[in-house]
Amino acid sequence: MNILLSNDDGIMSPGIITLKTYLQQKHDVYVVAPDIERSATGHGITVRNPLWAKTVKFGDTFFGHAVNGTPADCVKIGLDAIYKQIHFDVVISGINRGANLGTDVLYSGTVSAALEGAVGGYPSIAVSCVDFSNPNFEDGAKVVLNILEKLDLNNWPEFTTLNVNIPKIPYDEMKGIKITKQSRRRYQDYFEERKDPFGNSYYWMLGNIIEDDNDDNSDYNVINQGYVAVTPLSVFMTKYDFIDELKSRLEV
């Protein structure tokens, strides 16, 4: 199949290099990724500046296109410009260094790149290794190949992305795959004030993770149990169970 591959850690990151190495054993892989790391950029796109797409080679071997934009930009320009003549079967984003669980999906460039594929009508998958310090990218790539073999990409719900998180244990020790829900995992942010050499204040954002979701099927609980967590996400965010209450109070 034809795969468009992107990420948010940058085109030179080991996660995307490893994933392409594994995917291209069985598939045709086309890389369009940010020229530098653009983590936590969310679903921003570039509308007031031009985008450059430069070819990247490792020695004499062509690897992909590096774009001076966001992860969502990369998927847009990959689908609609650089490779517009190619019919892609799936858009994959990753492998990300670090988890994308709970509210991470709101900020994640990795997930946003995959969601941009979904917006364009393509099946899409975001992949992350939860271990930030020592990510097991090769194990993650094996999981992606396994998932692709089992999915029916011709029977894919519209505007849908799979958010895949890989536990920090060896591939042979993973218990399997579990379909999960997005958890309530979130951050309690705070800012540390510092002074520059001229006495001006600047702020460094820090935060503590809040994990208080008691549902065993929530994403981080499944990861903690030793499973790969696969969470289906939609590009649409309507809170349907609040509609009737709002109608009763606000509609005249």
Side-chain angles (χ1 to χ4, degrees):
M1 66 179 73
N2 292 324
I3 299 173
L4 180 65
L5 181 59
S6 193
N7 73 349
D8 74 353
D9 288 334
I11 197 165
M12 302 300 292
S13 66
I16 197 169
I17 294 170
T18 302
L19 185 53
K20 185 187 181 186
T21 300
Y22 273 78
L23 289 175
Q24 67 187 7
Q25 296 173 12
K26 296 185 176 181
H27 307 288
D28 294 321
V29 184
Y30 303 83
V31 174
V32 184
D35 54 352
I36 60 173
E37 181 175 354
R38 299 185 189 272
S39 298
T41 54
H43 209 117
I45 56 174
T46 302
V47 296
R48 292 182 174 84
N49 292 294
L51 293 173
W52 281 267
K54 298 181 180 180
T55 58
V56 173
K57 293 183 178 180
F58 295 151
D60 294 328
T61 303
F62 173 73
F63 181 76
H65 288 85
V67 176
N68 64 320
T70 67
D73 284 332
C74 293
V75 172
K76 276 184 174 292
I77 200 171
L79 294 173
D80 299 334
I82 300 171
Y83 294 119
K84 64 181 179 181
Q85 77 281 7
I86 294 175
H87 171 74
F88 285 102
D89 298 286
V90 62
V91 175
I92 300 179
S93 180
I95 299 171
N96 186 64
R97 180 186 179 194
N100 276 307
L101 303 165
T103 60
D104 290 338
V105 302
L106 297 175
Y107 308 107
S108 168
T110 301
V111 175
S112 292
L115 284 171
E116 186 58 40
V119 170
Y122 296 86
S124 62
I125 303 171
V127 191
S128 304
C129 288
V130 301
D131 190 347
F132 183 85
S133 300
N134 189 28
N136 48 339
F137 291 131
E138 291 202 9
D139 292 335
K142 293 175 185 177
V143 169
V144 174
L145 283 174
N146 183 25
I147 288 174
L148 286 176
E149 289 176 357
K150 295 179 178 180
L151 290 175
D152 180 4
L153 298 178
N154 295 315
N155 187 29
W156 194 273
E158 281 189 297
F159 311 117
T160 301
T161 288
L162 296 185
N163 183 32
V164 179
N165 280 273
I166 312 297
K168 53 181 177 181
I169 54 178
Y171 182 81
D172 293 338
E173 295 180 17
M174 295 178 192
K175 295 180 180 179
I177 296 171
K178 276 198 174 183
I179 307 306
T180 65
K181 72 166 195 175
Q182 181 185 358
S183 69
R184 301 179 354 155
R185 184 179 182 271
R186 58 204 185 278
Y187 298 87
Q188 184 179 44
D189 297 324
Y190 62 94
F191 290 85
E192 182 177 288
E193 183 179 0
R194 302 179 184 179
K195 298 290 184 179
D196 69 15
F198 304 98
N200 301 308
S201 295
Y202 68 96
Y203 299 87
W204 201 267
M205 187 176 71
L206 303 167
N208 298 311
I209 297 175
I210 301 173
E211 294 182 341
D212 57 1
D213 196 324
N214 295 321
D215 190 333
D216 288 340
N217 290 318
S218 63
D219 51 26
Y220 77 85
N221 283 321
V222 164
I223 285 290
N224 291 338
Q225 295 164 21
Y227 291 90
V228 175
V230 177
T231 308
L233 303 175
S234 171
V235 300
F236 300 109
M237 300 169 65
T238 302
K239 181 72 173 170
Y240 288 101
D241 59 5
F242 196 31
I243 287 178
D244 289 342
E245 169 73 10
L246 289 174
K247 281 184 176 181
S248 70
R249 294 183 178 276
L250 299 179
E251 290 187 356
V252 178

